[in-house]
Amino acid sequence: MKKAKSHRKHPAWATCHRKPGTELRLINGNYYLYEYKTIYDKEKKCPKKISGKLLGSISQKKGFIPSAKHTLRQKAEGVLVDKVQIKEYGFSFYIDSQLTLYRDRLKEIFPEDYQTLIALAYCRLAYQSPLKAIPWRLSGSWL
């Protein structure tokens, strides 16, 4: 009769870094800490383990060493990315700085509508944009 394989016992210096929601893996003689979660599989009617991202490595001398990506993820958690905006600037700057003669002439002839005309020309020149897409194009422009 075959004996059932017993689960490997990890050393205490490695298991002391394991917390709930994490798992310890021995890969090529090195210990790594991964996050994981369990979900219920309705078809098989049993829980299923879903492995997550690498949190870091564990060595006997240095202890837990967080991975570079994990460190970046932790730093990014406090940053509000929703307030960051990316705007097109190059062509808008060109229109604003190099085509001043045309802008000034438009301002003389159409004092109330010259900015709208410049915006329409910008969208048509830069993107060949139809009229219905102009508000969206202008929302991503410095102009």
Side-chain angles (χ1 to χ4, degrees):
M1 270 175 68
K2 282 187 173 179
K3 284 187 176 179
K5 286 186 180 179
S6 63
H7 292 307
R8 260 186 241 156
K9 299 269 182 177
H10 297 296
W13 58 265
T15 56
C16 69
H17 297 286
R18 192 183 164 282
K19 295 179 176 80
T22 62
E23 68 175 323
L24 195 59
R25 291 187 191 169
L26 178 63
I27 302 172
N28 294 332
N30 298 317
Y31 284 96
Y32 297 96
L33 193 64
Y34 284 83
E35 64 182 19
Y36 84 96
K37 63 181 178 179
T38 56
I39 59 168
Y40 185 73
D41 190 351
K42 292 179 182 178
E43 292 176 9
K44 295 181 180 178
K45 299 185 179 182
C46 63
K48 180 180 177 182
K49 182 178 90 168
I50 308 270
S51 293
K53 298 171 181 151
L54 171 69
L55 300 175
S57 61
I58 300 172
S59 70
Q60 190 169 4
K61 292 179 183 176
K62 295 181 181 178
F64 178 71
I65 304 161
S67 73
K69 286 185 180 180
H70 178 64
T71 307
L72 285 173
R73 273 187 240 114
Q74 283 182 327
K75 287 180 183 176
E77 284 177 1
V79 178
L80 297 175
V81 179
D82 297 340
K83 294 187 178 185
V84 175
Q85 294 182 356
I86 299 172
K87 301 277 187 179
E88 176 279 324
Y89 182 71
F91 194 57
S92 301
F93 178 76
Y94 176 76
I95 289 172
D96 196 42
S97 64
Q98 301 298 316
L99 303 178
T100 55
L101 175 68
Y102 299 106
R103 184 186 63 219
D104 293 341
R105 286 196 179 168
L106 279 172
K107 193 173 185 179
E108 288 173 12
I109 299 168
F110 304 103
E112 295 176 6
D113 297 324
Y114 80 98
Q115 290 177 328
T116 305
L117 292 171
I118 290 172
L120 290 170
Y122 159 79
C123 290
R124 293 295 290 172
L125 283 171
Y127 304 107
Q128 293 82 40
S129 182
L131 290 174
K132 66 181 181 181
I134 286 176
W136 180 75
R137 290 290 185 189
L138 287 175
S139 70
S141 171
W142 177 77
L143 188 64

